[in-house]
Amino acid sequence: MAIFSLFKLSLLLSLLPNLNIGLRPGTPKAKSSVGIYPPSCNRIECPSFDLVHVGDGYEVRRYNSTVWMSTSRIQDISLVEATRTGFLQLFEYIQGKNKYAEKIEMTAPVITEVTPSDGPFCESLFTVSFYVPKKNQANPPPAKDLHVLKWKPTYVALRQFSGFVTDSNVGEEAAALQSSLSGSVWEGAIQKRRGQGPTSVYTVAQYNSPFEFDNRVNEIWMLFDMEDKLET
Ligand SMILES: *[C@@H]1O[C@H](CO)[C@@H](O)[C@H](O)[C@H]1NC(C)=O
């Protein structure tokens, strides 16, 4: 049933015009593979943000109060598997499997937050979240096993990469982001946030359905908080 719905979604997405990838105006040429506006955000709602800084190999954004619908923590050895599990649950939710039997528009990105676990089997904990469209943010329909997550204004240092997210490339991309942030003012802020509460290491943001093969955009996010005054 869920698979069938996914298939319908892919059909729907493939019927929509393919839009070209455009560099966001005002960003330097893409030597650093940063600055591509995800093409899916031309067709479906994505959270808006302010671009705070463009660095070498990364950029920094500020998201204002953003609302997400999140799964419980999923324990798995594979980010790809955990994301699939979480995404199916969220996809059923937007198809009407919620308290008000309300349908909700598809959005992007779907984000997977990665937290290491102390377990013996190299498992990690993953939380998969769906960006709630503005229309539904005031009153997202409740659903079993899903939680509303409200972000206060949050900063994200990120690195973009294309193709499919795999269990091997996420680690490499996250390491590359970590190293390009090394010595920057953002690094300390990221460490500080990791020092508080359950330490999420990074978040993977995916903008495409599994059935799209071209123009795929993914991002590794590292979140942090900052006083607005400290902006560069
Ligand atoms: C975020 O909030 C600030 C302060 O209210 C505002 O200036 C900015 O335009 C907002 N950005 C977006 C993307 O909504």
Side-chain angles (χ1 to χ4, degrees):
M1 178 59 193
I3 299 298
F4 179 66
S5 302
L6 270 178
F7 181 66
K8 277 195 302 190
L9 171 70
S10 81
L11 263 184
L12 177 71
L13 290 178
S14 65
L15 289 174
L16 294 164
N18 243 344
L19 295 153
N20 289 326
I21 288 185
L23 286 175
R24 196 178 305 122
T27 52
K29 270 230 161 130
K31 88 170 198 282
S32 53
S33 80
V34 169
I36 290 167
Y37 185 71
S40 2
C41 298
N42 291 313
R43 328 182 275 257
I44 56 181
E45 187 181 333
C46 295
S48 52
F49 58 83
D50 294 303
L51 187 60
V52 173
H53 178 77
V54 177
D56 187 8
Y58 68 94
E59 70 180 44
V60 176
R61 300 175 183 162
R62 185 185 57 236
Y63 287 88
N64 283 343
S65 317
T66 313
V67 181
W68 304 85
M69 188 57 80
S70 299
T71 64
S72 302
R73 287 177 160 198
I74 299 168
Q75 190 164 358
D76 206 306
I77 53 168
S78 161
L79 174 136
V80 172
E81 285 303 321
T83 302
R84 186 172 298 150
T85 305
F87 181 73
L88 285 176
Q89 209 183 330
L90 293 164
F91 194 69
E92 287 181 349
Y93 170 79
I94 67 171
Q95 294 286 94
K97 197 178 164 190
N98 55 60
K99 197 170 173 192
Y100 311 149
E102 186 177 349
K103 292 204 175 194
I104 296 169
E105 291 289 330
M106 187 62 198
T107 61
V110 167
I111 60 174
T112 307
E113 189 185 349
V114 186
T115 312
S117 114
D118 305 329
F121 303 114
C122 299
E123 287 170 322
S124 298
L125 295 170
F126 301 96
T127 306
V128 186
S129 306
F130 164 82
Y131 167 66
V132 177
K134 285 214 170 66
K135 182 171 167 277
N136 304 93
Q137 285 181 6
N139 191 18
K144 190 168 163 283
D145 298 329
L146 295 177
H147 321 276
V148 177
L149 184 67
K150 288 191 173 134
W151 280 12
K152 57 182 178 151
T154 298
Y155 287 78
V156 178
L158 68 113
R159 173 183 174 88
Q160 289 188 326
F161 60 106
S162 64
F164 282 89
V165 168
T166 67
D167 288 321
S168 53
N169 70 7
V170 275
E172 287 164 21
E173 298 292 343
L177 174 58
Q178 187 72 51
S179 101
S180 64
L181 289 168
S182 170
S184 71
V185 295
W186 321 107
E187 191 187 26
I190 292 167
Q191 287 303 343
K192 189 173 163 209
R193 172 145 166 162
R194 280 184 193 155
Q196 304 159 348
T199 45
S200 128
V201 191
Y202 56 84
T203 294
V204 182
Q206 301 189 60
Y207 289 86
N208 303 90
S209 91
F211 305 99
E212 292 172 276
F213 294 94
D214 300 321
N215 298 341
R216 297 184 60 84
V217 176
N218 319 294
E219 293 165 349
I220 303 284
W221 288 5
M222 292 181 184
L223 275 49
F224 62 98
D225 309 303
M226 196 165 254
E227 301 297 322
D228 273 352
K229 303 285 172 293
L230 291 180
E231 258 170 55
T232 55

